[in-house]
Amino acid sequence: VFGGHGGAVVPLIDAIEAHPKLTWVYMRNEANASLAAHAAAKLNPGVVGCCLATSGPGATNLTTGLVCGKMDAVPMIAIT
């Protein structure tokens, strides 16, 4: 799961870090998180790219990577 910081998502990040089958990858901003999730899904068949952003502007910043994922028809999940 690629994502940034934000008060609204801290409990979710804690849960991701505690889960044995999930890996949290901290990114400097949400746009990078969505682009990294897109790349992970595109380069690894069978992998679903997942990105996480806080509500408001954080969610808006996911747009570029999500559009790239749609154009390339790769599976992605965006959580806000």
Side-chain angles (χ1 to χ4, degrees):
V1 180
F2 299 93
H5 51 78
V9 294
V10 170
L12 184 54
I13 294 168
D14 291 341
I16 292 167
E17 288 183 325
H19 195 282
K21 293 187 178 182
L22 297 176
T23 302
W24 173 250
V25 181
Y26 174 75
M27 308 298 284
R28 286 190 74 119
N29 64 46
E30 296 86 358
N32 290 343
S34 65
L35 290 168
H38 167 254
K42 186 173 181 176
L43 298 174
N44 300 294
V47 170
V48 176
C50 185
C51 51
L52 172 68
T54 192
S55 55
T60 304
N61 290 337
L62 294 176
T63 305
T64 302
L66 295 176
V67 170
C68 288
K70 179 168 177 55
M71 291 175 63
D72 289 339
V74 297
M76 292 180 65
I77 297 173
I79 302 169
T80 61

